[in-house]
Amino acid sequence: MSYLEYNVKRSPSGLRKVLYVNWVLVLLLSAVACVGFLQLYSVSGGDFSRWAEPQMQRFALSITVMFVIAFVPLWFWRSMAGMAYAVSVLLLLGVEFFGSIGMGAQRWLELGPIRLQPSEMTKITVIMAIAAYYDWLDIRKVSHPLWVGVALLIILVPAFLVVKQPDLGTALLIIGGGGMVMFFAGVSLWYFGGVIALVVGLISVVFASRGTSWQLLHDYQFRRIDTFLDPSLDPLGTSYHINQAMIALGSGGLSGRGFMQGTQSRLNFLPEKQTDFIFNTLAEEFGFIGGVFLLALYVGIIVTCVVAAMQSRNRFAALLILGIASNFFLYFAVNMAMVMGLAPVVGVPLPLVSYGGSAMLMILIGFGLVQSACIHRPRERA
Amino acid sequence: MKRPPKDTEESARRISRRAMLMGGAQMAFAGVLVLRMRQLQLGQSEEFRLLAEENRINIRLLPPSRGLIADRNGNLLAQNVQNYRIVLVREDAGEPRAALERLAQLIPLTADEIDRAERDIMRHRPFVPVTIADQLNWEEVARVAANAPALPGITPEVGLSRFYPFGAEFAHTVGYVGPVSERDLEARENPDPLLMIPRFQIGKIGVEREYEDILRGSAGHRRIEVNAVGREMRELDRQEGDAGANVQLTLDRALQAFTLARLGEDSAAAAVIEVQTGNILALASAPSFDPNLFVRGISVADFAALRDNDHRPMSNKTVQGAYPPGSTFKPVTALAAFDARLATPDERVFCPGYIEVSNRRFHCWNRGGHGRVNLTSALAESCDVYFYEMAQRVGIDRINAMAERMGLGFRYELPLSGISSGLNPSREWKRERRDAEWVVGDTINASIGQGYVLTTPLQLAVMTARIATGRAILPRLVHAIDDVEQPVPEYPQLGLDPAALAQVQRGMWEVSNSNRGTAYGSRIVSADLRMAGKTGTSQVFSITAAERAAGIRRQDQLPWNRRDHALFICYAPDTDPRYAVSVVVEHGGGGSSVAAPIARDIILAAQNGGLPPVEAYPAPQRNRIESMIRAISDQIGPAATPETGRRRA
């Protein structure tokens, strides 16, 4: 940037930053969270203090954290990216070694009163790291195999640690989030095509081997894959839940059965009704209209982010915004596809709506970075 | 690091392009989600709503109250009583053991009961109410209710359970109910869903069993909203079931009680029927048992005692017991001969004490012989040779046909369990079942009710009624169902020669009224109560040569189960018969000495509508009879009230 530009355009500072907060985004996020409060109040059967109240407290805390992050200049976060990434990998290793002491509670790390879920945090730090990496990397080298390999390493090391926990769903989200930032950064489409072809090819080879002399997996492993892909093969297990979830969704109809009138949710037929399957309670009680409304809010958030990214001339800012937005997209897309029976059931919550503090905090930390990028975008002086 | 502006521009363009591409893909995916929602929520919503309703609504059955069973005078023989019980819900009660021990301070619970209750509780899901004690009395329930705050999850409940106020008196006829068993379910083509209710009780024997479908009634139901684990959230609606029909029997409680008490300790059976209608007034099988034991769930020890008793208390001997009728069968042989006009009642037969047929000697019971006897004296003195002679003339075919006309050899349609058809032997029967030809010796044995002939006590009473009336009386047990009286059939005439029948009746009259009669000792002196009867002593085993050698000459020297059966049949009053009685005392000894006195007491009780009148007995017997009647009437109690309260351990 030339000196002239510096004179004409500059980042806002001090209290003026408040004016440059992306308020549309704040409004959309709050609207989604409110839908969450409403549904949590409904599925608890009108017990405000059970889920809705703690969720509101967490939201208040998380949005405060979001604003704090938002007001910190973006260059600070850019320089922190490597450090944050390193800390999260260390925490994952900590979970690997110390988390295993608590029985089966590998995903958590007890740090005093806070239960930290490093894998949740890793989704954000990987995006930051990849965004910073491509900001640093010469734009002409992005498709060079060596530099692509470095990016893959940045993504796959934490992903591997998360898979070992074992938490395949989160690992896929990490890979998806990081991969999307690589995509935005301009890595040649051939790589993506190659990876897709490789995965499809591998899967078909494994399936083709079934029943032949060179079978690559044991029979029981195939059966596990079968039930994973088609829950109705396991009618007493997963299939019961997904069927009940579909009944809840389908019985909502156009306008739903009315607030707090969803029999599936209220009578406990719906599993995980306050977490992974909360969308079904919404769809049962507010119907197609309610479901599309929530989806529209989510899409609005994505669109707002894409617009903000395209306005940004800063490579790190743009990649970060798009990465966070894509991460958010993966959350709700996977969750909705899952509860509508389009994807296998993996434990992915509905962002900002499902009950749970860790995911909400991390999502709003992510949007804090987005806001920081929006606020500190150099602007022409008003 | 500073980059040339060109790079920045290039980077921004590239990011924008890729962002548009990915944004488009994401919108497309959102579109797919909307389409999926449309498909599920708009396309298939009816289908899913139906499934949701099915999930939500559960139908619970309400057991109807079982029909009552009464005697002809409206005394309740089987009734429903309130049964207080305690149920425990684990999820509210907390640790079951501690809860049970707290409860044990209020109501008596044995250590065994606590263990069993704990096992029951742990077997069910935590919200299922489990009955941990029943048959409590009001005081105990009140104690539990008063301490409710200290006993979370423990509540008293009230249900109906069956009670038989007269206990053992009607155990065989009315029967009893018990919990549905696997076998009960298998025996039914399409079992009533009610039977699936845990602890639901159905009739196991007797009228309770045979009229199960009438007595049970139909289930009501309530529709309840349940959650995913089946717990009831609220009741949506409720429809009470229809109570079962009340059944009024022809039995007379007072007479039944007297009859059973009179049979006493013996293994015996007695039947009393009204000769004109066939109504069964009393049907007693001794010894009996308390059916209430089975309702509560009989203990292993009690059941073993009933099962192992050689007097077979659980068998209803009046219809299940088939005995050789002995001399009580003789009227049938006589009627067969006269009906075929092969003899006249006045014809005399010489009895030397035996006859010889095909080189075999058949003895009369009186080895000295009866001399010249006609029908009446042959019946009165129970001369065997007279009937041997008749038997040879008429042959088994006519005897078989006459026995059938007299109501023997077939099953009666009565709501009783295990009714035997007895055995009315014929040539075909012997060929089929014994693979042998009928021989004249078989006919001679049959003529005096020995050999193959078997009859049940109720069949003998029916036969007696037929002799008394000349009509084809059949027994009836059900007077009315839900106050609708069951019609008494018009019984057809048997078509017997009236003169011959009168002679047979005359002979039976002499049995108990002529000083030659075998039952003269059991005569009735009141002219309007006099009875006509027939004794029978049927051999179960012959005294063997070895026993004879050991000096055994008399029945009472034999072990009980080898002694003769004692039988007696009679009807009264002699001029205008109203009641017929049969008595069989298993291994009782002689018909005249053992069975006849019992039958006389019973038929007097029937005629008097209460206890037998002492003045009907010959004067010398009155003192003894009076004390016996007093003893029996002391023995007969009023209707019992349900025993409530826990038996203290």
Side-chain angles (χ1 to χ4, degrees):
Chain A
M1 271 185 258
S2 67
Y3 172 77
L4 189 68
E5 277 177 319
Y6 259 89
N7 268 342
V8 179
K9 295 181 178 180
R10 50 176 287 186
S11 300
S13 60
L15 277 176
R16 287 177 55 83
K17 288 182 179 181
V18 177
L19 290 173
Y20 295 96
V21 167
N22 190 334
W23 287 109
V24 176
L25 189 57
V26 173
L27 202 70
L28 286 168
L29 292 171
S30 305
V32 170
C34 285
V35 170
F37 305 149
L38 203 67
Q39 272 323 102
L40 286 172
Y41 178 76
S42 170
V43 297
S44 65
D47 183 358
F48 180 67
S49 63
R50 189 162 173 206
W51 289 318
E53 195 182 8
Q55 183 82 346
M56 284 172 143
Q57 289 164 353
R58 285 169 186 158
F59 181 73
L61 179 77
S62 302
I63 203 135
T64 308
V65 170
M66 182 187 92
F67 277 115
V68 169
I69 290 170
F71 292 139
V72 173
L74 188 65
W75 58 261
F76 174 79
W77 297 120
R78 184 181 178 282
S79 54
M80 287 298 292
M83 173 88 94
Y85 176 78
V87 165
S88 59
V89 170
L90 283 175
L91 283 174
L92 283 175
L93 286 169
V95 170
E96 180 68 20
F97 293 112
F98 304 108
S100 59
I101 296 167
M103 261 198 314
Q106 284 207 9
R107 295 182 185 189
W108 303 98
L109 199 68
E110 303 274 346
L111 288 180
I114 317 165
R115 285 202 302 178
L116 195 69
Q117 212 175 358
S119 60
E120 204 65 54
M121 181 179 158
T122 308
K123 288 175 195 160
I124 302 292
T125 58
V126 164
I127 288 166
M128 284 173 76
I130 295 287
Y133 171 73
Y134 278 111
D135 186 36
W136 165 80
L137 191 67
D138 190 325
I139 193 166
R140 283 174 299 258
K141 296 179 184 163
V142 288
S143 292
H144 190 284
L146 176 71
W147 301 110
V148 169
V150 170
L152 283 178
L153 208 65
I154 293 173
I155 297 168
L156 292 180
V157 166
F160 172 74
L161 290 171
V162 173
V163 166
K164 280 200 72 181
Q165 284 189 358
D167 186 353
L168 186 68
T170 304
L172 289 173
L173 284 184
I174 289 170
I175 293 170
M180 283 199 186
V181 179
M182 288 175 75
F183 177 85
F184 295 125
V187 175
S188 168
L189 290 175
W190 290 109
Y191 284 103
F192 296 96
V195 167
I196 290 168
L198 195 73
V199 169
V200 170
L202 199 68
I203 291 172
S204 42
V205 165
V206 165
F207 274 89
S209 78
R210 189 175 194 174
T212 63
S213 53
W214 49 280
Q215 188 164 310
L216 293 172
L217 294 174
H218 289 292
D219 281 340
Y220 75 88
Q221 286 171 320
F222 274 116
R223 278 197 295 277
R224 264 187 213 167
I225 293 171
D226 286 344
T227 44
F228 182 70
L229 295 176
D230 182 5
S232 66
L233 294 175
D234 178 21
L236 294 174
T238 344
S239 146
Y240 174 78
H241 291 167
I242 191 68
N243 286 343
Q244 295 297 345
M246 303 273 282
I247 290 172
L249 188 88
S251 64
L254 177 66
S255 55
R257 315 200 73 173
F259 184 56
M260 298 194 60
Q261 299 298 312
T263 58
Q264 286 288 103
S265 330
R266 201 161 54 78
L267 302 174
N268 280 333
F269 285 102
L270 208 57
E272 303 285 327
K273 59 183 179 185
Q274 80 280 20
T275 57
D276 292 0
F277 287 97
I278 196 161
F279 181 74
N280 302 63
T281 73
L282 174 89
E284 183 183 23
E285 296 186 351
F286 296 104
F288 181 70
I289 293 171
V292 169
F293 174 74
L294 182 65
L295 188 60
L297 288 180
Y298 281 134
V299 168
I301 289 170
I302 300 293
V303 168
T304 310
C305 287
V306 169
V307 167
M310 283 166 67
Q311 282 173 345
S312 177
R313 298 281 120 180
N314 183 310
R315 190 164 162 80
F316 175 68
L319 289 177
L320 185 67
I321 294 171
L322 288 171
I324 299 292
S326 296
N327 178 52
F328 187 74
F329 168 81
L330 285 176
Y331 261 109
F332 77 76
V334 171
N335 177 276
M336 284 183 165
M338 168 180 105
V339 301
M340 289 179 201
L342 291 175
V345 177
V346 286
V348 175
L350 191 61
L352 299 177
V353 178
S354 286
Y355 183 72
S358 189
M360 173 178 274
L361 181 64
M362 289 323 298
I363 283 162
L364 286 177
I365 286 175
F367 281 108
L369 295 171
V370 170
Q371 291 288 8
S372 175
C374 291
I375 291 169
H376 300 97
R377 170 163 58 91
R379 287 174 171 85
E380 288 173 39
R381 220 187 265 262
Chain B
M1 190 174 71
K2 279 272 160 278
R3 265 188 294 258
K6 190 165 170 284
D7 272 10
T8 324
E9 283 305 308
E10 170 63 19
S11 154
R13 255 207 317 280
R14 200 183 284 189
I15 289 177
S16 292
R17 208 163 50 230
R18 290 281 170 107
M20 293 302 285
L21 210 63
M22 183 57 82
Q26 292 180 351
M27 292 312 109
F29 191 83
V32 169
L33 292 178
V34 171
L35 286 179
R36 176 67 171 170
M37 273 195 270
R38 213 191 104 194
Q39 179 202 351
L40 292 177
Q41 296 193 287
L42 304 183
Q44 293 171 270
S45 84
E46 283 307 306
E47 210 173 295
F48 281 115
R49 192 157 293 193
L50 206 68
L51 287 171
E53 280 296 297
E54 277 173 17
N55 256 347
R56 180 172 79 96
I57 311 284
N58 213 320
I59 290 177
R60 296 278 158 91
L61 292 175
L62 290 171
S65 85
R66 195 173 173 85
L68 307 176
I69 302 176
D71 82 342
R72 57 166 41 211
N73 300 316
N75 295 309
L76 284 183
L77 308 183
Q79 62 186 86
N80 301 318
V81 293
Q82 291 199 326
N83 170 19
Y84 295 103
R85 53 183 177 239
I86 303 285
V87 296
L88 182 145
V89 179
R90 172 160 40 115
E91 71 176 357
D92 299 332
E95 218 280 298
R97 181 107 221 155
L100 288 168
E101 269 155 15
R102 277 198 302 277
L103 183 65
Q105 293 167 1
L106 298 173
I107 60 170
L109 282 174
T110 64
D112 273 359
E113 284 172 320
I114 291 179
D115 287 346
R116 203 182 52 210
E118 195 185 4
R119 272 199 307 278
D120 266 4
I121 291 163
M122 299 315 287
R123 238 202 324 270
H124 289 93
R125 290 199 270 178
F127 58 87
V128 175
V130 176
T131 302
I132 51 177
D134 60 1
Q135 309 284 348
L136 289 122
N137 64 25
W138 176 242
E139 253 172 62
E140 287 160 336
V141 172
R143 263 208 301 280
V144 173
N147 286 283
L151 298 166
I154 293 179
T155 40
E157 268 192 5
V158 59
L160 290 179
S161 84
R162 201 67 157 167
F163 179 67
Y164 304 102
F166 299 109
E169 289 172 23
F170 295 91
H172 299 108
T173 43
V174 169
Y176 55 80
V177 296
V180 180
S181 70
E182 288 300 316
R183 267 178 48 207
D184 293 328
L185 287 177
E186 279 163 21
R188 284 169 164 78
E189 189 87 348
N190 198 358
D192 188 328
L194 267 176
L195 303 189
M196 308 296 183
I197 297 178
R199 289 161 151 259
F200 189 77
Q201 296 198 309
I202 60 166
K204 294 291 186 176
I205 65 162
V207 175
E208 290 273 33
R209 179 196 173 93
E210 304 301 319
Y211 271 17
E212 172 61 30
D213 294 342
I214 294 172
L215 290 166
R216 189 192 306 143
S218 58
H221 64 261
R222 41 197 212 105
R223 293 191 331 144
I224 54 172
E225 192 172 271
V226 295
N227 71 0
V229 284
R231 181 177 337 164
E232 178 174 344
M233 304 302 277
R234 66 194 170 104
E235 189 173 283
L236 298 174
D237 62 33
R238 182 190 187 99
Q239 193 185 338
E240 297 293 341
D242 293 326
N246 297 332
V247 173
Q248 189 171 25
L249 302 180
T250 57
L251 295 171
D252 180 324
R253 188 262 152 172
L255 187 62
Q256 174 78 17
F258 177 82
T259 305
L260 185 67
R262 182 65 186 84
L263 293 177
E265 303 291 307
D266 283 316
S267 177
V272 184
I273 65 175
E274 274 180 349
V275 296
Q276 301 297 337
T277 58
N279 286 344
I280 300 172
L281 298 183
L283 207 54
S285 178
S288 187
F289 61 92
D290 183 0
N292 292 309
L293 290 179
F294 284 85
V295 179
R296 272 175 225 156
I298 190 163
S299 71
V300 177
D302 285 347
F303 186 76
L306 289 177
R307 187 193 53 207
D308 299 337
N309 189 332
D310 65 353
H311 283 31
R312 306 191 320 286
M314 287 191 287
S315 154
N316 183 5
K317 297 171 186 122
T318 54
V319 293
Q320 295 169 3
Y323 305 94
S327 301
T328 58
F329 190 73
K330 284 173 180 168
V332 174
T333 309
L335 286 168
F338 305 144
D339 196 60
R341 309 216 177 277
L342 295 170
T344 61
D346 298 326
E347 187 180 331
R348 287 182 179 272
V349 170
F350 180 72
C351 169
Y354 65 91
I355 62 167
E356 254 177 63
V357 178
S358 39
N359 291 327
R360 224 185 115 195
R361 199 172 265 209
F362 291 86
H363 286 282
C364 185
W365 67 269
N366 185 346
R367 294 194 176 231
H370 289 97
R372 293 171 63 79
V373 288
N374 66 359
L375 171 68
T376 32
S377 56
L379 278 174
E381 298 170 42
S382 204
C383 170
D384 292 338
V385 169
Y386 178 86
F387 295 96
Y388 295 158
E389 172 60 28
M390 294 299 143
Q392 289 179 76
R393 290 192 201 170
V394 298
I396 188 60
D397 299 338
R398 292 198 184 89
I399 293 177
N400 172 269
M402 182 54 72
E404 174 138 3
R405 274 166 93 184
M406 300 314 287
L408 306 179
F410 59 92
R411 284 185 78 239
Y412 300 138
E413 289 306 315
L414 291 172
L416 293 172
S417 302
I419 300 177
S420 164
S421 60
L423 178 55
N424 181 14
S426 64
R427 293 176 200 277
E428 295 79 55
W429 172 83
K430 192 176 177 193
R431 217 174 290 132
E432 267 174 42
R433 305 301 292 270
R434 296 292 157 101
D435 200 20
E437 281 306 308
W438 190 270
V439 294
V440 68
D442 294 334
T443 312
I444 287 174
N445 277 331
S447 70
I448 59 159
Q450 291 283 164
Y452 299 121
V453 185
L454 295 173
T455 58
T456 67
L458 182 61
Q459 285 177 330
L460 289 177
V462 169
M463 178 187 83
T464 310
R466 291 188 176 199
I467 293 169
T469 58
R471 288 190 292 136
I473 306 300
L474 281 171
R476 295 173 76 240
L477 189 58
V478 179
H479 174 68
I481 294 175
D482 254 351
D483 292 330
V484 178
E485 286 193 18
Q486 305 297 296
V488 180
E490 190 63 42
Y491 298 111
Q493 289 289 335
L494 285 168
L496 298 168
D497 173 17
L501 186 63
Q503 288 301 315
V504 169
Q505 290 170 347
R506 174 75 195 169
M508 287 175 67
W509 185 87
E510 285 197 5
V511 167
S512 57
N513 294 294
S514 144
N515 55 12
R516 297 178 302 171
T518 49
Y520 184 66
S522 300
R523 65 192 175 279
I524 293 169
V525 296
S526 304
D528 53 341
L529 301 178
R530 271 198 298 246
M531 68 176 180
K534 183 71 197 81
T535 55
T537 304
S538 67
Q539 227 172 32
V540 184
F541 292 95
S542 317
I543 296 177
T544 60
E547 282 164 343
R548 214 176 285 279
I552 294 178
R553 291 283 184 276
R554 292 204 329 270
Q555 281 282 319
D556 55 9
Q557 292 168 313
L558 283 169
W560 175 76
N561 61 4
R562 291 177 56 87
R563 292 179 204 163
D564 295 342
H565 294 320
L567 297 93
F568 194 74
I569 57 169
C570 58
Y571 61 84
D574 53 355
T575 48
D576 176 24
R578 287 176 57 207
Y579 303 103
V581 172
S582 68
V583 171
V584 175
V585 181
E586 284 186 356
H587 311 296
S592 54
S593 57
V594 176
I598 297 174
R600 172 176 64 170
D601 295 341
I602 292 170
I603 209 161
L604 279 171
Q607 293 183 87
N608 204 35
L611 296 170
V614 178
E615 57 281 6
Y617 292 85
Q621 301 174 5
R622 285 182 190 160
N623 277 344
R624 183 172 53 82
I625 294 288
E626 199 167 4
S627 62
M628 179 205 73
I629 291 172
R630 203 178 305 118
I632 286 177
S633 71
D634 286 349
Q635 209 179 315
I636 300 170
T641 47
E643 179 196 332
T644 59
R646 315 272 310 155
R647 279 159 292 182
R648 310 246 156 201

